[in-house]
C-alpha cells in the first residue's frame, strides 16, 4: 500500500510534487522507495488544492454496521452532487451480488446493495461534489476543469446546487421478463438505487458505493456467486448462494425482521397489482 501524504509542493516549472511513502511490502511498495516522489503536472490555469491532513481508518476492524448507531443518518448522492439522499435507519440486509446484470450496470465485479424501506429514504438538497475516502475524516472537494470536458467532447456537470432536484427512473430489461427500475441522477447519470420485483417501490436497493461513507457498510450475504469472475474468492464467512436465497426472513437480524414483517401487506398488494397487469 502507498499512502499519499497531504503535502504538496510546487516548483518554478509548475510541476506538482506529491510525496508518497511505501508502508508495506506490497507490489506497489516494491516499486517505490520510502522517499519516492511522484511528479504530476498541472497546467498553470488549473487550481491546485492540497490534500487534507492524512488520517488512517482501519476498516477491517470496524464493528458490523448493525452495531454502530453512530453512523446514522446515512447520507449519499450522485457524482455531481445534484441528487443527495439520506437513510434514517440502518439497512434491513446488505447483498453482495455477482449476477451479470449487476456487473453490467455498475462495472465492478459485484454490486453492494443495501436493502431498506422506501419510507426511510428521503431526498436532500443538492450540494457541491465531493469524493469520499476512508483515509480522510471529511469528504474531499471535487471539480471539473472545462478544458478536459471540452477535449473529451463531454458535457460538464458543473452547475449551481438545486434545492428541489429530483432523480429520474428508467425500467431496464431482466431475464425474468419483469424488469427492474434504476433511479439515478438526470445530469451525471449515476445510478443510486434499484427497485426489483420482490417488493417494487417499497424496498429500494441502495447502491452502497454512492454513500458518503461506503466503508461503514459490509455485506450480510453473497448472492449469484455462480456468476462471479473466476479469480474472485468469497471467504468472509457470510452466507453464500449460487443463486438467490429462498427466505429473506432467515437472514435478517431481529430488529430488521420486525420491520420487514410490517412491510409485507404493502408488498402483497404490489404483487397482486403486478399479476393483474400481467394478465
Amino acid at each position: 500500500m502507498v499512502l499519499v501524504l497531504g503535502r504538496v509542493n510546487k516548483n518554478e516549472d509548475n510541476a506538482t510534487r506529491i510525496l508518497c511513502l511505501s508502508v508495506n511490502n506490497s507490489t506497489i511498495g516494491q516499486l517505490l522507495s520510502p522517499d519516492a516522489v511522484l511528479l504530476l503536472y498541472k497546467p498553470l490555469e488549473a487550481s491546485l488544492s492540497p490534500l487534507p491532513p492524512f488520517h488512517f481508518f482501519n476498516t477491517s476492524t470496524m464493528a458490523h454496521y448493525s452495531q454502530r448507531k453512530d453512523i446514522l443518518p446515512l447520507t449519499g448522492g450522485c457524482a455531481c452532487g445534484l441528487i443527495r439522499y439520506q437513510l434514517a435507519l440502518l439497512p434491513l440486509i446488505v447483498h453482495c451480488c455477482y449476477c451479470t446484470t449487476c456487473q453490467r450496470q455498475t462495472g465492478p465485479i459485484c454490486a453492494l446493495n443495501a436493502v431498506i424501506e422506501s419510507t426511510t429514504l428521503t431526498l436532500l438538497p443538492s450540494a457541491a461534489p465531493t469524493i469520499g475516502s476512508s483515509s480522510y475524516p471529511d469528504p474531499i472537494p471535487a471539480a471539473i476543469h472545462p478544458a478536459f470536458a471540452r477535449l473529451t467532447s463531454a458535457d460538464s456537470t458543473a452547475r449551481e446546487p438545486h434545492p428541489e432536484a429530483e432523480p429520474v427512473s428508467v425500467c431496464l430489461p431482466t431475464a425474468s421478463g419483469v424488469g427492474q427500475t434504476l433511479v439515478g441522477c438526470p445530469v451525471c447519470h449515476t445510478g443510486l438505487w434499484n427497485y426489483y420485483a420482490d417488493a417494487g417501490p417499497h424496498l429500494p436497493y441502495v447502491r452502497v458505493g454512492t454513500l458518503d461513507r461506503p466503508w461503514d457498510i459490509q455485506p450480510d450475504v453473497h448472492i449469484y456467486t455462480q456468476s462471479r469472475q473466476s479469480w474472485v474468492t468469497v471467504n468472509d464467512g457470510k452466507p453464500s448462494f449460487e443463486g438467490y436465497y429462498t427466505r429473506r426472513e432467515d437472514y435478517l437480524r431481529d430488529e430488521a425482521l420486525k420491520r420487514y414483517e410490517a412491510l409485507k401487506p404493502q408488498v402483497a398488494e404490489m404483487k397482486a397489482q403486478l399479476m393483474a397487469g400481467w394478465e
Side-chain angles (χ1 to χ4, degrees), residues 1-3 21-34:
M1 180 173 62
V2 173
L3 304 184
L21 174 65
S22 172
V23 296
N24 65 18
N25 199 30
S26 66
T27 302
I28 298 178
Q30 294 172 10
L31 299 177
L32 297 176
S33 62

Side-chain angles (χ1 to χ4, degrees), residues 24-268:
N24 65 18
N25 199 30
S26 66
T27 302
I28 298 178
Q30 294 172 10
L31 299 177
L32 297 176
S33 62
D35 58 350
V37 176
L38 295 182
L39 296 180
L40 303 177
Y41 177 77
K42 268 197 171 185
L44 285 171
E45 68 270 22
S47 61
L48 181 64
S49 300
L51 291 172
F54 181 82
H55 184 78
F56 180 71
F57 290 92
N58 188 354
T59 56
S60 63
T61 61
M62 284 184 175
H64 188 266
Y65 68 83
S66 63
Q67 306 301 317
R68 300 186 59 214
K69 305 299 182 183
D70 61 301
I71 63 177
L72 289 175
L74 295 167
T75 58
C78 66
C80 74
L82 180 66
I83 305 299
R84 297 280 302 161
Y85 67 84
Q86 174 178 287
L87 305 179
L89 297 177
L90 294 171
L92 295 170
I93 192 171
V94 177
H95 295 168
C96 187
C97 181
Y98 301 85
C99 78
T100 52
T101 299
C102 281
Q103 291 183 47
R104 170 174 286 179
Q105 288 184 14
T106 63
I109 58 173
C110 60
L112 202 59
N113 294 318
V115 185
I116 194 166
E117 307 96 313
S118 58
T119 53
T120 73
L121 191 160
T122 56
L123 293 178
L124 300 174
S126 60
T130 59
I131 302 296
S133 171
S134 61
S135 299
Y136 298 97
D138 299 310
I140 301 171
I144 295 172
H145 197 287
F148 184 75
R150 183 177 67 254
L151 289 171
T152 54
S153 303
D155 293 329
S156 174
T157 59
R159 42 94 197 104
E160 293 297 322
H162 194 291
E164 299 179 355
E166 293 284 340
V168 295
S169 302
V170 58
C171 200
L172 304 174
T174 59
S176 67
V178 177
Q180 61 174 266
T181 295
L182 172 63
V183 181
C185 175
V187 175
C188 68
H189 309 298
T190 301
L192 299 171
W193 59 85
N194 289 62
Y195 295 123
Y196 294 93
D198 62 339
H202 303 296
L203 272 186
Y205 285 49
V206 178
R207 294 183 173 180
V208 171
T210 66
L211 291 172
D212 294 333
R213 294 175 54 89
W215 51 88
D216 283 335
I217 305 299
Q218 311 88 1
D220 294 306
V221 295
H222 297 269
I223 58 176
Y224 293 104
T225 59
Q226 63 183 4
S227 303
R228 73 182 188 275
Q229 299 293 328
S230 59
W231 45 270
V232 175
T233 302
V234 179
N235 58 3
D236 62 355
K238 302 293 178 62
S240 180
F241 305 90
E242 290 189 351
Y244 202 78
Y245 49 73
T246 305
R247 273 175 40 91
R248 174 170 288 153
E249 294 88 338
D250 295 337
Y251 305 98
L252 298 178
R253 58 192 185 278
D254 292 343
E255 173 265 340
L257 180 59
K258 293 178 181 178
R259 289 161 50 192
Y260 184 64
E261 292 290 344
L263 196 65
K264 283 187 174 181
Q266 300 173 60
V267 173

